[in-house]
Amino acid sequence: QVQLVESGGGLVQAGGSLRLSCAASGRTIRNIAMGWFRQAPGKEREFVAGMSWGGRGTHYADSVQGRFRISRDNAKNTFYLQMNSLKPEDTAVYYCGAGSWTSNTNDYDDWGQGTQVTVSS
């Protein structure tokens, strides 16, 4: 019901910052929740951050708390993940999902194709 395209990934040194974008099409994101997940090689997809459709509720994985921030711009039909103080262990493919803001991958209705984030030491 919604198509999602991630962008903004890349190579950054430890301590640096990136902002990931998830552009939605096919429907508005104004009234849907969304989240960010990541998957490192050889590991399962891991919850990173989620936001309720109204933007009031947010939650973060302990590993990124205080460093990452999820946000949305309904006018642009886009949501974001601002990543600061990046660590090598943040290296992963990052995915945006729509339809939920929980930590459970099965709760989500749609996913983007992912964008690679590589943090060098």
PDB file of all heavy atoms in Angstrom, residues 27-52:
ATOM      1  N   ARG A  27       0.798   6.481  -0.924  1.00  0.00           N
ATOM      2  CA  ARG A  27      -0.132   6.980   0.083  1.00  0.00           C
ATOM      3  C   ARG A  27       0.606   7.907   1.019  1.00  0.00           C
ATOM      4  O   ARG A  27       1.839   7.895   1.092  1.00  0.00           O
ATOM      5  CB  ARG A  27      -0.805   5.852   0.860  1.00  0.00           C
ATOM      6  CG  ARG A  27       0.150   4.982   1.653  1.00  0.00           C
ATOM      7  CD  ARG A  27      -0.581   4.193   2.719  1.00  0.00           C
ATOM      8  NE  ARG A  27      -1.103   5.067   3.755  1.00  0.00           N
ATOM      9  CZ  ARG A  27      -1.831   4.672   4.785  1.00  0.00           C
ATOM     10  NH1 ARG A  27      -2.152   3.389   4.915  1.00  0.00           N
ATOM     11  NH2 ARG A  27      -2.261   5.539   5.684  1.00  0.00           N
ATOM     12  N   THR A  28      -0.141   8.698   1.751  1.00  0.00           N
ATOM     13  CA  THR A  28       0.472   9.602   2.709  1.00  0.00           C
ATOM     14  C   THR A  28       0.940   8.838   3.939  1.00  0.00           C
ATOM     15  O   THR A  28       0.352   7.836   4.337  1.00  0.00           O
ATOM     16  CB  THR A  28      -0.521  10.703   3.119  1.00  0.00           C
ATOM     17  OG1 THR A  28       0.100  11.577   4.066  1.00  0.00           O
ATOM     18  CG2 THR A  28      -1.777  10.098   3.747  1.00  0.00           C
ATOM     19  N   ILE A  29       2.032   9.322   4.542  1.00  0.00           N
ATOM     20  CA  ILE A  29       2.497   8.745   5.797  1.00  0.00           C
ATOM     21  C   ILE A  29       1.944   9.496   6.998  1.00  0.00           C
ATOM     22  O   ILE A  29       2.280   9.164   8.135  1.00  0.00           O
ATOM     23  CB  ILE A  29       4.036   8.729   5.879  1.00  0.00           C
ATOM     24  CG1 ILE A  29       4.602  10.155   5.923  1.00  0.00           C
ATOM     25  CG2 ILE A  29       4.629   7.940   4.720  1.00  0.00           C
ATOM     26  CD1 ILE A  29       6.061  10.210   6.347  1.00  0.00           C
ATOM     27  N   ARG A  30       1.106  10.484   6.745  1.00  0.00           N
ATOM     28  CA  ARG A  30       0.607  11.335   7.820  1.00  0.00           C
ATOM     29  C   ARG A  30      -0.055  10.535   8.923  1.00  0.00           C
ATOM     30  O   ARG A  30       0.060  10.880  10.107  1.00  0.00           O
ATOM     31  CB  ARG A  30      -0.373  12.360   7.246  1.00  0.00           C
ATOM     32  CG  ARG A  30      -1.005  13.281   8.276  1.00  0.00           C
ATOM     33  CD  ARG A  30      -1.962  14.264   7.616  1.00  0.00           C
ATOM     34  NE  ARG A  30      -2.971  13.583   6.823  1.00  0.00           N
ATOM     35  CZ  ARG A  30      -4.106  13.088   7.300  1.00  0.00           C
ATOM     36  NH1 ARG A  30      -4.378  13.188   8.600  1.00  0.00           N
ATOM     37  NH2 ARG A  30      -4.973  12.485   6.494  1.00  0.00           N
ATOM     38  N   ASN A  31      -0.743   9.480   8.551  1.00  0.00           N
ATOM     39  CA  ASN A  31      -1.524   8.726   9.518  1.00  0.00           C
ATOM     40  C   ASN A  31      -1.034   7.298   9.713  1.00  0.00           C
ATOM     41  O   ASN A  31      -1.805   6.421  10.104  1.00  0.00           O
ATOM     42  CB  ASN A  31      -2.999   8.729   9.127  1.00  0.00           C
ATOM     43  CG  ASN A  31      -3.258   8.073   7.783  1.00  0.00           C
ATOM     44  OD1 ASN A  31      -2.342   7.850   6.998  1.00  0.00           O
ATOM     45  ND2 ASN A  31      -4.523   7.773   7.510  1.00  0.00           N
ATOM     46  N   ILE A  32       0.240   7.064   9.448  1.00  0.00           N
ATOM     47  CA  ILE A  32       0.787   5.740   9.696  1.00  0.00           C
ATOM     48  C   ILE A  32       2.034   5.852  10.560  1.00  0.00           C
ATOM     49  O   ILE A  32       2.794   6.818  10.476  1.00  0.00           O
ATOM     50  CB  ILE A  32       1.103   4.980   8.395  1.00  0.00           C
ATOM     51  CG1 ILE A  32       2.154   5.710   7.554  1.00  0.00           C
ATOM     52  CG2 ILE A  32      -0.166   4.756   7.585  1.00  0.00           C
ATOM     53  CD1 ILE A  32       2.625   4.901   6.361  1.00  0.00           C
ATOM     54  N   ALA A  33       2.230   4.845  11.369  1.00  0.00           N
ATOM     55  CA  ALA A  33       3.444   4.752  12.154  1.00  0.00           C
ATOM     56  C   ALA A  33       4.586   4.227  11.293  1.00  0.00           C
ATOM     57  O   ALA A  33       4.360   3.643  10.226  1.00  0.00           O
ATOM     58  CB  ALA A  33       3.217   3.828  13.351  1.00  0.00           C
ATOM     59  N   MET A  34       5.801   4.434  11.759  1.00  0.00           N
ATOM     60  CA  MET A  34       6.938   3.956  11.006  1.00  0.00           C
ATOM     61  C   MET A  34       8.108   3.646  11.933  1.00  0.00           C
ATOM     62  O   MET A  34       8.140   4.089  13.080  1.00  0.00           O
ATOM     63  CB  MET A  34       7.361   4.942   9.915  1.00  0.00           C
ATOM     64  CG  MET A  34       8.180   6.128  10.389  1.00  0.00           C
ATOM     65  SD  MET A  34       7.201   7.355  11.319  1.00  0.00           S
ATOM     66  CE  MET A  34       8.451   8.610  11.541  1.00  0.00           C
ATOM     67  N   GLY A  35       9.043   2.898  11.397  1.00  0.00           N
ATOM     68  CA  GLY A  35      10.207   2.550  12.175  1.00  0.00           C
ATOM     69  C   GLY A  35      11.425   2.333  11.304  1.00  0.00           C
ATOM     70  O   GLY A  35      11.333   2.246  10.075  1.00  0.00           O
ATOM     71  N   TRP A  36      12.554   2.254  11.959  1.00  0.00           N
ATOM     72  CA  TRP A  36      13.826   1.940  11.325  1.00  0.00           C
ATOM     73  C   TRP A  36      14.408   0.683  11.941  1.00  0.00           C
ATOM     74  O   TRP A  36      14.395   0.509  13.168  1.00  0.00           O
ATOM     75  CB  TRP A  36      14.827   3.081  11.484  1.00  0.00           C
ATOM     76  CG  TRP A  36      14.550   4.280  10.645  1.00  0.00           C
ATOM     77  CD1 TRP A  36      13.851   5.393  11.001  1.00  0.00           C
ATOM     78  CD2 TRP A  36      14.982   4.495   9.295  1.00  0.00           C
ATOM     79  NE1 TRP A  36      13.817   6.294   9.967  1.00  0.00           N
ATOM     80  CE2 TRP A  36      14.501   5.766   8.904  1.00  0.00           C
ATOM     81  CE3 TRP A  36      15.720   3.749   8.389  1.00  0.00           C
ATOM     82  CZ2 TRP A  36      14.743   6.296   7.642  1.00  0.00           C
ATOM     83  CZ3 TRP A  36      15.956   4.264   7.129  1.00  0.00           C
ATOM     84  CH2 TRP A  36      15.469   5.527   6.764  1.00  0.00           C
ATOM     85  N   PHE A  37      14.928  -0.168  11.084  1.00  0.00           N
ATOM     86  CA  PHE A  37      15.621  -1.380  11.492  1.00  0.00           C
ATOM     87  C   PHE A  37      16.962  -1.432  10.782  1.00  0.00           C
ATOM     88  O   PHE A  37      17.197  -0.700   9.814  1.00  0.00           O
ATOM     89  CB  PHE A  37      14.802  -2.628  11.142  1.00  0.00           C
ATOM     90  CG  PHE A  37      13.587  -2.837  11.997  1.00  0.00           C
ATOM     91  CD1 PHE A  37      12.471  -2.036  11.854  1.00  0.00           C
ATOM     92  CD2 PHE A  37      13.564  -3.840  12.955  1.00  0.00           C
ATOM     93  CE1 PHE A  37      11.350  -2.221  12.637  1.00  0.00           C
ATOM     94  CE2 PHE A  37      12.445  -4.047  13.742  1.00  0.00           C
ATOM     95  CZ  PHE A  37      11.341  -3.239  13.589  1.00  0.00           C
ATOM     96  N   ARG A  38      17.823  -2.311  11.257  1.00  0.00           N
ATOM     97  CA  ARG A  38      19.097  -2.515  10.583  1.00  0.00           C
ATOM     98  C   ARG A  38      19.475  -3.980  10.637  1.00  0.00           C
ATOM     99  O   ARG A  38      19.039  -4.726  11.504  1.00  0.00           O
ATOM    100  CB  ARG A  38      20.203  -1.659  11.209  1.00  0.00           C
ATOM    101  CG  ARG A  38      20.550  -2.017  12.644  1.00  0.00           C
ATOM    102  CD  ARG A  38      21.498  -0.985  13.229  1.00  0.00           C
ATOM    103  NE  ARG A  38      21.908  -1.320  14.589  1.00  0.00           N
ATOM    104  CZ  ARG A  38      22.614  -0.529  15.375  1.00  0.00           C
ATOM    105  NH1 ARG A  38      23.003   0.675  14.929  1.00  0.00           N
ATOM    106  NH2 ARG A  38      22.949  -0.916  16.603  1.00  0.00           N
ATOM    107  N   GLN A  39      20.298  -4.373   9.690  1.00  0.00           N
ATOM    108  CA  GLN A  39      20.746  -5.749   9.621  1.00  0.00           C
ATOM    109  C   GLN A  39      22.215  -5.778   9.234  1.00  0.00           C
ATOM    110  O   GLN A  39      22.586  -5.331   8.151  1.00  0.00           O
ATOM    111  CB  GLN A  39      19.914  -6.559   8.627  1.00  0.00           C
ATOM    112  CG  GLN A  39      20.224  -8.042   8.643  1.00  0.00           C
ATOM    113  CD  GLN A  39      19.186  -8.855   7.900  1.00  0.00           C
ATOM    114  OE1 GLN A  39      18.422  -8.323   7.095  1.00  0.00           O
ATOM    115  NE2 GLN A  39      19.140 -10.143   8.176  1.00  0.00           N
ATOM    116  N   ALA A  40      23.022  -6.303  10.124  1.00  0.00           N
ATOM    117  CA  ALA A  40      24.440  -6.482   9.872  1.00  0.00           C
ATOM    118  C   ALA A  40      24.675  -7.866   9.284  1.00  0.00           C
ATOM    119  O   ALA A  40      23.859  -8.772   9.458  1.00  0.00           O
ATOM    120  CB  ALA A  40      25.233  -6.308  11.165  1.00  0.00           C
ATOM    121  N   PRO A  41      25.798  -8.061   8.582  1.00  0.00           N
ATOM    122  CA  PRO A  41      26.076  -9.372   7.992  1.00  0.00           C
ATOM    123  C   PRO A  41      26.047 -10.481   9.026  1.00  0.00           C
ATOM    124  O   PRO A  41      26.653 -10.372  10.099  1.00  0.00           O
ATOM    125  CB  PRO A  41      27.472  -9.202   7.400  1.00  0.00           C
ATOM    126  CG  PRO A  41      27.578  -7.743   7.115  1.00  0.00           C
ATOM    127  CD  PRO A  41      26.827  -7.074   8.231  1.00  0.00           C
ATOM    128  N   GLY A  42      25.325 -11.540   8.719  1.00  0.00           N
ATOM    129  CA  GLY A  42      25.245 -12.685   9.598  1.00  0.00           C
ATOM    130  C   GLY A  42      24.323 -12.527  10.785  1.00  0.00           C
ATOM    131  O   GLY A  42      24.260 -13.435  11.621  1.00  0.00           O
ATOM    132  N   LYS A  43      23.612 -11.413  10.872  1.00  0.00           N
ATOM    133  CA  LYS A  43      22.726 -11.167  11.997  1.00  0.00           C
ATOM    134  C   LYS A  43      21.292 -10.961  11.524  1.00  0.00           C
ATOM    135  O   LYS A  43      21.043 -10.657  10.361  1.00  0.00           O
ATOM    136  CB  LYS A  43      23.189  -9.947  12.789  1.00  0.00           C
ATOM    137  CG  LYS A  43      24.544 -10.097  13.456  1.00  0.00           C
ATOM    138  CD  LYS A  43      24.871  -8.886  14.306  1.00  0.00           C
ATOM    139  CE  LYS A  43      26.200  -9.054  15.023  1.00  0.00           C
ATOM    140  NZ  LYS A  43      26.520  -7.871  15.866  1.00  0.00           N
ATOM    141  N   GLU A  44      20.365 -11.122  12.455  1.00  0.00           N
ATOM    142  CA  GLU A  44      18.966 -10.869  12.165  1.00  0.00           C
ATOM    143  C   GLU A  44      18.691  -9.370  12.152  1.00  0.00           C
ATOM    144  O   GLU A  44      19.446  -8.574  12.707  1.00  0.00           O
ATOM    145  CB  GLU A  44      18.071 -11.556  13.190  1.00  0.00           C
ATOM    146  CG  GLU A  44      18.143 -13.075  13.150  1.00  0.00           C
ATOM    147  CD  GLU A  44      17.178 -13.729  14.107  1.00  0.00           C
ATOM    148  OE1 GLU A  44      16.557 -13.020  14.919  1.00  0.00           O
ATOM    149  OE2 GLU A  44      17.030 -14.957  14.040  1.00  0.00           O
ATOM    150  N   ARG A  45      17.591  -9.009  11.513  1.00  0.00           N
ATOM    151  CA  ARG A  45      17.191  -7.611  11.478  1.00  0.00           C
ATOM    152  C   ARG A  45      16.883  -7.123  12.886  1.00  0.00           C
ATOM    153  O   ARG A  45      16.172  -7.773  13.649  1.00  0.00           O
ATOM    154  CB  ARG A  45      15.983  -7.440  10.559  1.00  0.00           C
ATOM    155  CG  ARG A  45      15.636  -5.995  10.266  1.00  0.00           C
ATOM    156  CD  ARG A  45      14.826  -5.877   8.990  1.00  0.00           C
ATOM    157  NE  ARG A  45      13.718  -6.815   8.950  1.00  0.00           N
ATOM    158  CZ  ARG A  45      12.912  -6.979   7.915  1.00  0.00           C
ATOM    159  NH1 ARG A  45      13.090  -6.260   6.812  1.00  0.00           N
ATOM    160  NH2 ARG A  45      11.933  -7.871   7.968  1.00  0.00           N
ATOM    161  N   GLU A  46      17.391  -5.955  13.213  1.00  0.00           N
ATOM    162  CA  GLU A  46      17.364  -5.409  14.559  1.00  0.00           C
ATOM    163  C   GLU A  46      16.608  -4.091  14.578  1.00  0.00           C
ATOM    164  O   GLU A  46      16.838  -3.210  13.746  1.00  0.00           O
ATOM    165  CB  GLU A  46      18.800  -5.201  15.055  1.00  0.00           C
ATOM    166  CG  GLU A  46      18.930  -4.510  16.392  1.00  0.00           C
ATOM    167  CD  GLU A  46      20.367  -4.128  16.702  1.00  0.00           C
ATOM    168  OE1 GLU A  46      21.145  -3.907  15.747  1.00  0.00           O
ATOM    169  OE2 GLU A  46      20.716  -4.057  17.892  1.00  0.00           O
ATOM    170  N   PHE A  47      15.734  -3.941  15.550  1.00  0.00           N
ATOM    171  CA  PHE A  47      15.006  -2.697  15.724  1.00  0.00           C
ATOM    172  C   PHE A  47      15.946  -1.568  16.111  1.00  0.00           C
ATOM    173  O   PHE A  47      16.844  -1.748  16.941  1.00  0.00           O
ATOM    174  CB  PHE A  47      13.932  -2.863  16.802  1.00  0.00           C
ATOM    175  CG  PHE A  47      13.268  -1.593  17.204  1.00  0.00           C
ATOM    176  CD1 PHE A  47      12.306  -1.000  16.402  1.00  0.00           C
ATOM    177  CD2 PHE A  47      13.594  -0.971  18.398  1.00  0.00           C
ATOM    178  CE1 PHE A  47      11.682   0.176  16.775  1.00  0.00           C
ATOM    179  CE2 PHE A  47      12.978   0.206  18.785  1.00  0.00           C
ATOM    180  CZ  PHE A  47      12.023   0.780  17.961  1.00  0.00           C
ATOM    181  N   VAL A  48      15.715  -0.398  15.534  1.00  0.00           N
ATOM    182  CA  VAL A  48      16.508   0.788  15.840  1.00  0.00           C
ATOM    183  C   VAL A  48      15.658   1.871  16.490  1.00  0.00           C
ATOM    184  O   VAL A  48      15.977   2.364  17.570  1.00  0.00           O
ATOM    185  CB  VAL A  48      17.189   1.352  14.579  1.00  0.00           C
ATOM    186  CG1 VAL A  48      17.928   2.644  14.899  1.00  0.00           C
ATOM    187  CG2 VAL A  48      18.141   0.319  13.990  1.00  0.00           C
ATOM    188  N   ALA A  49      14.572   2.277  15.831  1.00  0.00           N
ATOM    189  CA  ALA A  49      13.751   3.375  16.324  1.00  0.00           C
ATOM    190  C   ALA A  49      12.369   3.293  15.712  1.00  0.00           C
ATOM    191  O   ALA A  49      12.201   2.809  14.600  1.00  0.00           O
ATOM    192  CB  ALA A  49      14.385   4.728  15.991  1.00  0.00           C
ATOM    193  N   GLY A  50      11.371   3.800  16.441  1.00  0.00           N
ATOM    194  CA  GLY A  50      10.018   3.836  15.939  1.00  0.00           C
ATOM    195  C   GLY A  50       9.307   5.099  16.363  1.00  0.00           C
ATOM    196  O   GLY A  50       9.653   5.710  17.374  1.00  0.00           O
ATOM    197  N   MET A  51       8.298   5.490  15.588  1.00  0.00           N
ATOM    198  CA  MET A  51       7.503   6.677  15.871  1.00  0.00           C
ATOM    199  C   MET A  51       6.047   6.405  15.529  1.00  0.00           C
ATOM    200  O   MET A  51       5.736   5.866  14.466  1.00  0.00           O
ATOM    201  CB  MET A  51       8.009   7.887  15.087  1.00  0.00           C
ATOM    202  CG  MET A  51       7.143   9.139  15.245  1.00  0.00           C
ATOM    203  SD  MET A  51       7.801  10.582  14.379  1.00  0.00           S
ATOM    204  CE  MET A  51       9.036  11.119  15.573  1.00  0.00           C
ATOM    205  N   SER A  52       5.150   6.802  16.434  1.00  0.00           N
ATOM    206  CA  SER A  52       3.728   6.678  16.188  1.00  0.00           C
ATOM    207  C   SER A  52       3.309   7.601  15.054  1.00  0.00           C
ATOM    208  O   SER A  52       4.020   8.539  14.694  1.00  0.00           O
ATOM    209  CB  SER A  52       2.944   6.992  17.460  1.00  0.00           C
ATOM    210  OG  SER A  52       3.126   8.347  17.839  1.00  0.00           O
TER     211      SER A  52
END
